[in-house]
């Protein structure tokens, strides 16, 4: 890292005074307000999933068109996260968080009032651009406002926002949609949003606005970054539905993403004042933490993608019933996280993270043995085990990422760490959606070869179904055709079940396999006393 980079101010944090050992109520409320923002922003990634059918019906849109409701939010969010470090330097934390939250609430309200699909896509994009900044700001607040011996608690709460929100999104979305209609999933943001604004206004002091930083900013690098990350997100989100590289649309966005990301990296490494410090990837602990953060994003969002889809398609669950299953991957974390925070100051974090990855991976492998009758009772324990493992992973990865980071680089480190996790989520969902399609075709072909119409067992089943349809007054020819169609639907259902099992096995195997990568990081413990500050 060059000396010119280390002189960059970061929202006034480069020369921040030493933090007091005793943390005031005002500081805790500030940190809690930041966590509300991160939780709200991550929640809104998933909250539309359970209500998408109702939203599309109201807006007269197809399923393929409706995919842009999520894609627009993710594109804007992934673009704004790396820019957060710049905006903090320009506006200061207080003004920026209040302003971006206020705009987020306005655009959330407009999403609920959207009158057609284009308006919904535009409002979701603006919602993502204003809300995405709240995710890295929560981690920045922990590092800037809490003394070292209290950061384990702060990181534990931040870890909850990252793991609890994806689990609770479908649950909350399902309940609100069923009870109050789908617009309520957007209007509910006013509750945490107003609390956040009040907490930040009270808890943070005013800072000088440095508009000159905007003039000097690396706008060429920002343009490359926006083009690269937005194109990559579109490529990942839309690739499966458009058959990947068979589509000219997808090939175009793949090329744009490569061009943008290479340009961003080149600009960042050649300028002495990049808008976000990519040189942090040169620190081993940060590199390992961000790489594993991407994998955790794949696991978090991948599991939250597969399970509701399985329960809706195979088990026929309503959004509210799906939410009742998914919530067990979230609620136990509230009790586990304080325990994990306390252990993180006493035990090598590599051991704790390995334990968490093992539980998280094992819970996914437990889901790799589902059948068509699997439901709430059979899924309960895998969800609970997942909930126990996730806090150990997110807390310790946050510790690894921020260990040894200079205070003026905290906004950059927080932005890159959270951007990588969200990008990992998009990659994971794209890979799993493709895997689901490919493996369903594979299992359908295998089952088709196995179920011969000449086999006695198959003939017996067809005869039974035919007689059943004829008993309902259907003529023999139509009854026979309906029996064959029923057999075909049964085979397709079983093929889908096996494809879902394959998806969960892939997630589990990757998570457990990453335990080996983790041990390339240095030994880290959360600071546990007032004088412990060296690790940070």
């Amino acid at each position: 890292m060059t000396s010119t980079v280390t002189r960059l101010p970061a929202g006034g944090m480069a020369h921040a005074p030493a933090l007091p050992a005793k943390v005031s109520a005002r500081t805790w409320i500030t940190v809690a307000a930041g966590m509300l923002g991160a939780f709200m922003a991550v929640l809104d990634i998933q909250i539309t999933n359970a209500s998408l059918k109702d939203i599309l019906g109201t807006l007269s849109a197809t399923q393929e068109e409706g995919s842009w409701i999520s894609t627009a939010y993710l594109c804007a969010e992934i673009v704004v996260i790396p820019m957060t470090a710049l905006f903090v330097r320009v506006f200061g934390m207080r003004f920026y968080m209040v302003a971006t939250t206020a705009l987020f609430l306005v655009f959330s309200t407009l999403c609920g009032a959207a009158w057609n699909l284009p308006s919904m896509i535009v409002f979701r994009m603006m919602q993502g651009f204003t809300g995405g900044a709240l995710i890295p700001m929560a981690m920045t607040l922990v590092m800037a406002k809490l003394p070292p011996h209290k950061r384990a608690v702060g990181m534990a709460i931040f870890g909850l926002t990252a793991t609890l929100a994806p689990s609770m999104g479908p649950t909350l979305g399902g309940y609100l949609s069923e009870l109050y209609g789908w617009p309520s999933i957007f209007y509910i943001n006013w509750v945490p949003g107003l609390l956040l604004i009040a907490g930040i206004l009270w808890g943070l002091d005013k800072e000088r606005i440095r508009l000159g930083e905007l003039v000097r900013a690396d706008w060429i690098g920002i343009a490359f970054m926006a083009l690269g990350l937005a194109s990559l997100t579109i490529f990942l989100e839309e690739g499966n539905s458009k058959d990947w590289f068979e589509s000219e649309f997808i090939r175009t966005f793949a090329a744009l993403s490569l061009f943008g990301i290479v340009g961003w990296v080149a600009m960042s490494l050649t300028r002495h004042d990049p808008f976000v410090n990519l040189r942090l990837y040169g620190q081993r602990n940060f590199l390992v933490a961000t790489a594993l953060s991407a994998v955790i994003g794949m696991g978090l969002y991948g599991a939250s993608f597969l399970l509701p889809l399985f329960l809706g398609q195979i088990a026929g669950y309503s959004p509210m019933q799906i939410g009742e299953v998914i919530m067990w991957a979230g609620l136990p974390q509230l009790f586990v996280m304080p325990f994990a925070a306390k252990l993180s100051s006493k035990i090598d974090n590599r051991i704790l993270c390995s334990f968490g990855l093992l539980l998280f991976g094992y819970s996914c492998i437990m889901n790799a043995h589902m059948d068509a009758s699997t439901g709430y009772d059979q899924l309960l324990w895998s969800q609970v085990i997942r909930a126990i493992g996730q806090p150990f992973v997110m807390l310790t990865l946050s510790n690894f990422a921020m260990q040894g980071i200079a205070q003026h680089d905290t906004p950059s480190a927080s932005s890159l760490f959270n951007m990588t996790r969200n990008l990992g989520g998009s990659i994971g969902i794209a890979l799993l959606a493709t895997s689901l399609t490919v493996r369903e075709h594979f299992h359908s072909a295998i089952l088709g070869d196995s179920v011969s119409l000449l086999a006695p067992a198959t003939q017996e089943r067809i005869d039974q179904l035919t007689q059943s349809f004829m008993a309902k007054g259907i003529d023999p020819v139509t009854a026979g055709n309906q029996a064959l169609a029923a057999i075909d639907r049964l085979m397709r259902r079983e093929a889908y079940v096996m494809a879902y099992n394959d998806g969960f096995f892939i997630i589990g195997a990757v998570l457990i396999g990453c335990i080996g990568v983790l041990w390339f990081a240095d030994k880290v413990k959360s600071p546990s006393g007032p004088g412990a500050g060296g690790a940070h």
Side-chain angles (χ1 to χ4, degrees), residues 356-518:
L357 285 169
L358 187 63
L359 288 184
F360 192 179
Y362 177 66
S363 74
C364 293
I365 290 174
M366 288 175 71
N367 289 154
H369 299 88
M370 300 184 297
D371 58 41
S373 64
T374 298
Y376 179 94
D377 293 338
Q378 294 77 23
L379 293 170
L380 177 63
W381 281 111
S382 65
Q383 298 295 92
V384 170
I385 291 172
R386 187 171 305 157
I388 295 172
Q390 285 177 353
F392 286 98
V393 178
M394 278 312 303
L395 169 61
T396 53
L397 285 184
S398 300
N399 289 338
F400 282 120
M402 305 311 286
Q403 189 259 350
I405 299 294
Q407 198 168 24
H408 62 268
D409 275 328
T410 295
S412 285
S414 176
S415 296
L416 294 174
F417 179 74
N418 287 285
M419 177 201 77
T420 309
R421 187 184 68 245
N422 282 19
L423 201 56
S426 294
I427 293 170
I429 290 174
L431 292 175
L432 289 169
T434 303
S435 167
L436 199 59
T437 302
V438 171
R439 297 300 291 176
E440 187 275 327
H441 290 331
F442 171 78
H443 291 301
S444 286
I446 298 296
L447 289 173
D449 292 340
S450 303
V451 180
S452 170
L453 292 177
L454 301 177
T458 307
Q459 284 289 346
E460 183 181 353
R461 183 61 175 157
I462 291 173
D463 290 342
Q464 289 174 350
L465 289 170
T466 303
Q467 293 299 322
S468 175
F469 289 127
M470 289 174 62
K472 297 176 182 177
I474 299 173
D475 66 89
V477 175
T478 304
N481 290 335
Q482 289 188 357
L484 290 173
I487 292 289
D488 181 65
R489 285 195 300 273
L490 183 64
M491 289 169 56
R492 288 290 302 278
R493 185 193 70 184
E494 294 303 313
Y496 266 115
V497 170
M498 287 186 274
Y500 281 115
N501 287 342
D502 292 344
F504 275 111
F505 183 83
I506 291 169
I507 298 174
V510 170
L511 288 169
I512 293 173
C514 281
I515 293 174
V517 177
L518 171 66

Side-chain angles (χ1 to χ4, degrees), residues 143 148 151 399 402-405 523-527 532-536:
M143 297 301 296
R151 285 178 191 156
N399 289 338
M402 305 311 286
Q403 189 259 350
I405 299 294
K523 181 178 180 179
V524 171
K525 291 182 184 178
S526 297
H536 295 275

Side-chain angles (χ1 to χ4, degrees), residues 23-349:
V23 183
S24 67
R26 183 178 182 228
T27 299
W28 280 121
I29 288 174
T30 305
V31 171
M35 298 306 166
L36 269 179
F39 183 85
M40 185 170 60
V42 176
L43 187 76
D44 269 57
I45 298 172
Q46 298 281 341
I47 201 168
T48 58
N49 290 355
S51 316
L52 195 56
K53 187 176 179 182
D54 295 336
I55 295 172
L56 296 180
T58 302
L59 301 179
S60 303
T62 65
Q63 187 77 27
E64 185 172 351
E65 292 171 336
S67 67
W68 284 96
I69 294 174
S70 295
T71 301
Y73 185 93
L74 289 168
C75 280
E77 184 181 68
I78 203 76
V79 166
V80 78
I81 287 176
M83 296 177 68
T84 305
L86 170 64
F87 290 145
V88 169
R89 291 198 297 272
V90 174
F91 299 109
M93 286 190 283
R94 185 180 194 261
F95 180 86
Y96 181 49
M97 287 194 72
V98 169
T100 200
T101 303
L103 289 171
F104 177 78
L105 295 180
V106 169
F107 290 119
S108 294
T109 304
L110 290 172
C111 284
W115 53 90
N116 57 22
L117 184 64
S119 66
M120 172 64 89
I121 291 172
V122 170
F123 296 146
R124 277 289 278 175
M125 181 176 66
M126 297 310 298
Q127 190 194 28
F129 190 81
T130 51
L134 298 173
I135 301 172
M137 286 307 301
M139 183 183 278
T140 301
L141 278 172
V142 169
M143 297 301 296
K145 297 301 175 184
L146 293 180
H149 69 285
K150 291 294 184 183
R151 285 178 191 156
V153 178
M155 286 300 183
I157 303 171
F158 175 76
L160 271 179
T161 69
T163 57
L164 194 60
S167 303
M168 298 305 292
T171 304
L172 187 60
Y175 271 99
L176 289 174
S177 294
E178 200 157 318
L179 294 174
Y180 304 110
W182 67 262
S184 63
I185 67 177
F186 297 109
Y187 300 151
I188 194 67
N189 286 330
W190 279 92
V191 178
L194 290 176
L195 289 173
L196 187 162
I197 290 173
I200 293 299
L201 285 175
W202 185 60
L204 289 180
D205 297 324
K206 288 183 180 179
E207 298 172 76
R208 184 165 62 89
I209 293 177
R210 302 177 176 89
L211 293 179
E213 289 281 342
L214 283 180
V215 178
R216 295 189 294 271
D218 176 18
W219 288 106
I220 297 176
I222 290 172
F224 274 124
M225 178 275 296
L227 175 66
L229 292 183
S231 298
L232 179 59
T233 303
I234 292 171
F235 166 75
L236 293 169
E237 291 293 311
E238 301 296 320
N240 185 58
S241 63
K242 291 180 169 55
D243 204 19
W244 293 106
F245 290 101
E246 297 299 317
S247 163
E248 179 67 27
F249 177 88
I250 294 301
R251 289 198 298 270
T252 299
F253 277 96
L256 287 174
S257 68
L258 183 63
F259 174 74
I261 290 171
V262 170
W264 175 27
V265 172
M267 290 299 297
S268 294
L269 296 181
T270 53
R271 280 184 65 105
H272 71 280
D273 56 346
F275 68 96
V276 67
N277 187 5
L278 293 184
R279 291 180 178 87
L280 293 176
Y281 285 119
Q283 299 187 22
R284 185 171 58 181
N285 272 18
F286 187 77
L287 179 62
V288 171
T290 49
L292 289 181
S293 178
V295 174
I296 292 304
M298 294 172 64
L300 282 172
Y301 294 109
S304 297
F305 165 75
L306 283 181
L307 197 55
L309 212 56
F310 170 84
L311 291 171
Q313 180 182 6
I314 306 300
Y317 276 31
S318 68
M320 187 177 287
Q321 289 174 314
I322 292 172
E324 289 171 353
V325 176
I326 300 295
M327 71 178 182
W328 286 106
L331 289 179
Q333 294 184 40
L334 295 171
F335 304 98
V336 175
M337 190 59 89
F339 181 64
K342 190 170 184 179
L343 285 180
S344 70
S345 64
K346 303 179 184 301
I347 299 175
D348 183 350
N349 280 200

